[in-house]
Structure formats: C-alpha cells, structure tokens
Amino acid sequence: MKTCDFPVPLHRPLIVFDIESTGTSPRADRIIELAAIRLNPDGTREERVWLVNPEMKIPIESIAIHGITDAEVAACPPFSLVAAEVYAFFDGCDLAGFSAGYFDAQILNEEFLRCGITDFHPEARRLLDAQRIYHKREPRDLTAALRFYCGRDLGEAAHGALADAEATLEVLCGQFARYPDLPRDLDALDKMFNPQDPFNVDRLGRWRWVEGEVCVNFGRKKGAKLRDLAADPKDGHSFLKWIMKSDFPQDTRAVAERALRGEFPSRPSAGAKS
C-alpha cells in the first residue's frame, strides 16, 4: 500500500475515481474502465483498476478520447461479473473525482442497478468534486474573461444585454491579441472550435451513421436504425413524431420528419470509417 498525505482529515475512506465509457449518457452508455484510489483514515491508500466489456460497440468518437477499442475489451468480463467486487471496494466510502457528481457517480450507479445492486446511493455519500472547486475559485464566465483578457471589470452594467455584447466583443479582440496563432478566417475558426464528426448526421450527433445505417445516438432507443423506426407504424412512428415535437435542433427534427416521408440521408463518403 502507498501512503497519502491528503490535506483533509478523513473519518471514513474516500474513493477518488474516474471512468472511461462508451459515451456521455449515464443511463444509455456503459463503463469500459474504472480506476479507483481508496484513501483510508489511517493514511494508507489502495488502488484498483477494472477493465470491462461494455457488451456494446464502442463508438469511434469515444475511442478517440480514451483509446480503448472493442478488441481490447473483447476478452474482459462484463461489469456484472465484477460488480460485487467494485461494490465492496466502494462500500462505506465517500466519493471524489473531476466532474464525478455529474457523470461518473451516476453511470456507476446505473451499472449497479442493472446488476440488482440498489443501495449504492451516490447522492447519500459526501462528494468532493475537483471540477466544482475549480470553477468556483476560477470562474469561467464573461466577467472573468473580461478581467483576464482585457484587464477590466464589467462594473455596474454587468449582465445588461448591450454591456455584455460589448464585453464579449472586447474579449474576442483580446483573445486574438493574446493568441496570434488563431486562424484569421471564420470558416477555419468554426472548424477548429466546432468540429463536425463526419459520422454525425445532424450537428449534435443525435443521429449517427453506424455500419452504413443511420441510428439513434441517445436515450432508450440508442442504436435503433432510422429505417426500422420509419417502417414501424406504431412505436417507431411514435418515437419519430416525438422527436419532431420536442425541443431538438431543427436539423435533428428534420431527419425524423423526412424519414416519415420515406426520405433518408445520403451515406458518408466511402473513405470514412465508423
């Protein structure tokens, strides 16, 4: 065991953990890798890493982030086979991580629930989130940006629409002055900071090309083929109409609307790989 000089006295163990997954939906996606460091009140620490088979195809955009491929986890156990071991390691511990409250704790709880473990209860444990401390102490709002890039405060006009627009323009000018390597072309800037995945059918990727088919990429129907939905006059049509009436971007709704008319997106270029 390694020792750890953690700056906060611990009265019960604290688990610092991080998860790599198939995506960003705690309910629809699955854990691929779970690493946990358990800090004990006596100053010792224990480390564990679990690599698991998510029992679903790992999307290419997720592989680009964590580098874990389907082949690497093909022979690994599914989460259900390590759930009891993971639960025992976390038992009686508080939680810590970076953005752990928003995602990691939630997806871990969903995995436990699928295995019949219903008393993990992350909301009942104390949580130390490094991201929340960071954002609280180092704000990332317009006021902070104006101070950082332009050396001034918004003052009494803060959050008036015109004052905020003027401040934003000043910040943009300040950013170009600070970062001379930024492109001086709006199209290049858009591609740099709003990259488009070629396998996303719509801008936000709610529809995605998977093995030559447009598929749902969110929620309970993640993985369902658009053509199958359009061919199902009951559940499929109901789902597509729900998308059309819901608060999705126009391009997302348009895919559903056209599918109901029998119109489907053109496939991406042959050189791309999903």
Side-chain angles (χ1 to χ4, degrees):
M1 290 186 183
K2 298 178 181 178
T3 59
C4 174
D5 297 323
F6 194 66
V8 178
L10 301 177
H11 302 291
R12 61 180 179 181
L14 177 70
I15 292 274
V16 184
F17 71 111
D18 186 72
I19 285 172
E20 304 297 346
S21 65
T22 59
T24 59
S25 169
R27 178 165 294 183
D29 285 299
R30 299 291 186 271
I31 291 174
I32 302 172
E33 184 179 33
L34 166 61
I37 302 171
R38 176 172 170 147
L39 306 179
N40 298 306
D42 64 2
T44 60
R45 83 180 201 175
E46 306 164 67
E47 299 176 4
R48 293 297 306 273
V49 178
W50 293 271
L51 192 64
V52 300
N53 188 329
E55 300 182 288
M56 65 182 292
K57 186 176 178 62
I58 304 174
I60 190 171
E61 65 268 24
S62 298
I63 295 174
I65 294 172
H66 50 59
I68 304 173
T69 65
D70 294 308
E72 290 180 82
V73 297
C76 294
F79 186 85
S80 58
L81 293 185
V82 301
E85 183 183 337
V86 174
Y87 180 82
F89 193 76
F90 277 72
D91 190 31
C93 299
D94 291 319
L95 305 176
F98 194 88
S99 191
Y102 293 114
F103 179 73
D104 300 76
Q106 301 306 317
I107 194 172
L108 181 57
N109 189 48
E110 291 291 338
E111 292 279 22
F112 280 137
L113 291 173
R114 278 188 285 271
C115 299
I117 299 174
T118 60
D119 60 345
F120 179 61
H121 299 312
E123 71 283 350
R125 301 169 185 245
R126 289 179 294 191
L127 173 68
L128 184 61
D129 195 319
Q131 185 188 64
R132 294 182 184 178
I133 295 175
Y134 174 45
H135 288 175
K136 196 74 171 179
R137 291 304 177 96
E138 305 292 340
R140 292 296 185 267
D141 56 15
L142 179 58
T143 299
L146 188 65
R147 186 179 300 119
F148 181 80
Y149 289 107
C150 308
R152 74 173 185 87
D153 291 314
L154 268 174
E156 296 181 1
H159 306 305
L162 181 58
D164 283 0
E166 291 282 6
T168 301
L169 175 59
E170 192 173 343
V171 166
L172 286 168
C173 293
Q175 288 172 329
F176 281 100
R178 182 176 286 266
Y179 310 124
D181 59 321
L182 282 176
R184 263 53 179 180
D185 175 83
L186 284 179
D187 186 56
L189 287 162
D190 182 59
K191 290 178 180 178
M192 176 179 289
F193 293 102
N194 305 293
Q196 296 297 297
D197 189 316
F199 289 97
N200 284 349
V201 179
D202 57 331
R203 190 174 181 91
L204 294 182
R206 297 295 189 264
W207 299 104
R208 183 168 175 80
W209 287 100
V210 178
E211 297 180 350
E213 292 284 348
V214 178
C215 296
V216 180
N217 195 36
F218 69 96
R220 63 183 178 88
K221 287 193 177 294
K222 184 174 182 178
K225 297 177 182 178
L226 177 63
R227 289 183 184 274
D228 291 343
L229 294 171
D232 179 358
K234 292 186 178 180
D235 188 52
H237 284 201
S238 177
F239 181 73
L240 293 174
K241 289 177 180 177
W242 169 74
I243 290 178
M244 291 166 56
K245 296 177 182 178
S246 298
D247 190 24
F248 289 101
Q250 190 277 332
D251 61 337
T252 304
R253 290 184 278 113
V255 173
E257 182 179 359
R258 292 182 187 126
L260 286 172
R261 299 199 302 261
E263 302 170 9
F264 300 95
S266 300
R267 296 189 181 191
S269 61
K273 297 180 181 180
S274 61

